[in-house]
Amino acid sequence: MAIAIEEVFPNLHHRLCLWHIMKKLPAKLGGHAQYKTIKKQLKNIVYNSLTIDECDENWLKMIEEFNLENNDWLKSLHKERNRWIHIYVKDKFWAGMSTSQRSESMNAFFDDYIHSKTSLKQFVEQYDSALKKKIENEKHMDFVSFNSIMPVILGHPIERQFQNAYTNNLFKLFQDEIRGLMFCNASLLKEEGTTLVFEVVETMLGKNGELVREVSFRVHYTELHCQLKCVCRLFEFRGILCRHVINVLIRMKVIEVSMNYIMDRWHKDIKRGYQSISNIYDDYGCDGERHRYNILTPLIQEVQQLGAKNDNSCSVLVEMLKDTKEKLIAIDFEHSRAEQLKEVSTSGAKAIHSPLKVRSRGRPPTKRKQSKVEQIMKKSIAKARKKGVAGSEACSETILAVLSKILLELL
């Protein structure tokens, strides 16, 4: 498998399952008189080493102390140590996985749909059903993340920033680091140019809450662009900021973390491309957008591969894509505008009338109770019309009559 992976996926990082390796300890070393001590030291090397030098030094000490120089199994493990020991793989992103539990969980997931006697035709149909179920579950989790809020622990602006960005499940993992702040104490160690080096001492507790040891972690902080790096490399390994970095940020009174430290894959509003892939359960005739997506995807991937061959092709493609993007935005705007005009012109209920045809609010004028002034003016105008007075003279007489009666009533 390792040879095939190197040939087919040369840029891929291949690891060995840590759980399967540690499971073999009783079979490989169980006959040794000091098996329990060896097991304890090996676990400490694998899980607690902070640097490669520390790991190699403790490994050699263990081999010499227990005379394990001739153990072929340990020799082979040490030779492949860059494929399974934590400190050797933590500089790569693994989403926190150290074992093959991801593939095992997928196997268990498909066990509900297929079995050893499933035919090829049934497999294709059941695979589609399984994919549909998985997408439905993800959409449900997205709905929960958008419509429910996990309560904060500290209420610090950084915690609220991650609360707004992360899905609920990821925010729970982030809050585990927030809880760990009570066991951390940061102090400035030295300055290296524009970079501040902090020492964060974390108190490690046992399963029953007893004090086990204190571990020192180095955190490098550069204020420019808010660059952060911790020796534990939790962010590089899991994609989540560690408690040591958070402790330094709070000490430096930082209220907002750079978006570089909030991975796109953890966002609650992430758009998953595979959800647009057509399946046999889709109503093909009713989903034109998905049909167009499936037409464009292979073409775009082919263009992407051609553009990635050299810098010149990449530059040409970038300029073409920018120009195409602007044209598509303009087309989309014109289309939306045309749709709005069409809706207004075809909908009689939404037709816009002139102000003369629009009925005024409130009680109609003929049924509204008239004021004293209106009653006087109405009577005066009627008298003027009977006398045959027209135009401006009638208006003047009416105004004078109204004013005189108002004065009389006031007096």
Side-chain angles (χ1 to χ4, degrees):
M1 183 189 292
I3 295 172
I5 289 173
E6 288 179 1
E7 291 181 2
V8 180
F9 304 107
N11 298 322
L12 200 67
H13 302 288
H14 177 221
R15 283 180 59 192
L16 302 178
C17 178
L18 182 59
W19 182 82
H20 283 95
I21 292 174
M22 302 305 287
K23 185 183 178 182
K24 292 181 179 180
L25 284 178
K28 299 294 184 178
L29 301 173
H32 200 284
Q34 295 178 289
Y35 166 69
K36 290 185 178 180
T37 308
I38 294 174
K39 180 181 178 181
K40 183 178 179 180
Q41 289 198 20
L42 184 60
K43 282 188 173 183
N44 183 58
I45 293 170
V46 172
Y47 295 110
N48 298 325
S49 296
L50 292 179
T51 64
I52 291 177
D53 292 339
E54 178 187 352
C55 175
D56 291 342
E57 183 181 349
N58 290 334
W59 182 281
L60 292 175
K61 284 182 179 179
M62 178 189 71
I63 296 296
E64 292 176 1
E65 182 180 352
F66 300 104
N67 300 318
L68 298 170
E69 293 86 353
N70 297 323
N71 190 294
D72 294 333
W73 184 66
L74 288 178
K75 282 183 180 180
S76 64
L77 286 181
H78 188 257
K79 185 179 179 180
E80 297 285 340
R81 60 190 181 279
N82 62 322
R83 293 184 184 272
W84 66 280
I85 296 182
H86 268 186
I87 191 61
Y88 281 92
V89 300
K90 273 193 171 183
D91 58 335
K92 305 292 189 302
F93 177 69
W94 296 93
M97 293 185 293
S98 297
T99 67
S100 58
Q101 86 274 16
R102 181 67 177 173
S103 61
E104 297 296 338
S105 64
M106 289 306 299
N107 292 338
F109 174 77
F110 282 108
D111 285 344
D112 295 334
Y113 297 89
I114 59 176
H115 49 81
S116 59
K117 296 183 179 180
T118 302
S119 66
L120 184 60
K121 179 178 180 296
Q122 291 172 333
F123 170 78
V124 174
E125 294 173 350
Q126 290 298 95
Y127 179 86
D128 249 17
S129 299
L131 184 60
K132 178 184 177 182
K133 181 62 178 178
K134 190 165 185 64
I135 292 175
E136 287 177 350
N137 291 340
E138 288 180 347
K139 287 183 176 180
H140 173 71
M141 296 303 295
D142 289 342
F143 176 82
V144 172
S145 292
F146 273 110
N147 293 277
S148 62
I149 299 176
M150 294 290 297
V152 295
I153 298 175
L154 291 181
H156 192 275
I158 291 178
E159 185 183 8
R160 295 191 182 278
Q161 180 186 3
F162 283 86
Q163 179 193 42
N164 294 329
Y166 276 169
T167 63
N168 286 354
N169 288 339
L170 260 296
F171 187 61
K172 288 179 183 177
L173 296 178
F174 178 76
Q175 285 191 320
D176 289 339
E177 301 304 312
I178 293 293
R179 294 185 184 94
L181 289 175
M182 67 177 70
F183 304 108
C184 297
N185 183 29
S187 59
L188 181 61
L189 196 63
K190 59 181 178 179
E191 296 185 19
E192 296 178 352
T194 58
T195 301
L196 302 179
V197 181
F198 288 86
E199 181 184 32
V200 181
V201 178
E202 180 180 0
T203 303
M204 301 291 185
L205 301 181
K207 293 182 180 179
N208 298 322
E210 73 278 7
L211 177 63
V212 177
R213 58 179 179 145
E214 289 187 343
V215 183
S216 176
F217 296 87
R218 296 285 181 93
V219 177
H220 291 73
Y221 169 71
T222 305
E223 188 174 2
L224 183 64
H225 305 307
C226 192
Q227 296 179 353
L228 302 158
K229 189 172 183 179
C230 180
V231 69
C232 77
R233 289 186 281 191
L234 183 70
F235 178 77
E236 289 82 358
F237 182 68
R238 297 183 64 182
I240 300 175
L241 284 182
C242 65
R243 60 194 67 182
H244 319 118
V245 166
I246 299 171
N247 191 277
V248 170
L249 289 174
I250 293 176
R251 176 186 170 89
M252 296 302 295
K253 299 181 180 179
V254 177
I255 60 174
E256 184 175 358
V257 179
S258 171
M259 293 303 293
N260 295 330
Y261 296 99
I262 304 178
M263 299 185 69
D264 291 339
R265 66 189 298 139
W266 304 144
H267 276 247
K268 63 176 67 177
D269 57 352
I270 184 70
K271 301 297 182 184
R272 302 180 182 89
Y274 65 82
Q275 290 187 344
S276 298
I277 300 173
S278 60
N279 300 279
I280 60 174
Y281 55 81
D282 290 324
D283 190 355
Y284 182 81
C286 297
D287 196 351
E289 183 176 354
R290 178 168 291 180
H291 175 56
R292 292 188 292 272
Y293 184 93
N294 292 333
I295 293 174
L296 293 171
T297 298
L299 181 61
I300 291 174
Q301 289 178 347
E302 186 178 352
V303 172
Q304 186 180 18
Q305 290 175 359
L306 292 172
K309 286 187 174 181
N310 54 67
D311 293 338
N312 187 31
S313 298
C314 182
S315 301
V316 172
L317 181 59
V318 168
E319 293 301 322
M320 291 175 66
L321 289 176
K322 287 181 179 178
D323 183 54
T324 304
K325 180 181 176 181
E326 292 178 0
K327 290 180 180 179
L328 291 175
I329 292 173
I331 292 172
D332 185 62
F333 175 76
E334 291 296 329
H335 178 74
S336 301
R337 187 178 179 184
E339 289 292 326
Q340 291 175 357
L341 293 174
K342 182 179 178 181
E343 183 180 357
V344 170
S345 61
T346 56
S347 177
K350 295 184 180 180
I352 300 175
H353 299 286
S354 66
L356 296 176
K357 294 184 180 181
V358 176
R359 178 177 172 180
S360 61
R361 293 184 178 183
R363 195 173 183 180
T366 54
K367 296 181 180 181
R368 180 168 53 83
K369 186 176 180 180
Q370 294 179 340
S371 64
K372 201 72 176 178
V373 175
E374 288 177 323
Q375 293 175 5
I376 295 171
M377 289 186 66
K378 188 174 181 181
K379 290 179 181 179
S380 301
I381 292 172
K383 287 181 180 179
R385 286 177 178 174
K386 287 181 180 180
K387 292 179 181 180
V389 181
S392 59
E393 293 181 2
C395 184
S396 299
E397 286 187 11
T398 301
I399 293 172
L400 289 172
V402 170
L403 291 175
S404 60
K405 288 188 176 182
I406 290 174
L407 287 172
L408 287 172
E409 289 188 3
L410 291 174
L411 293 172

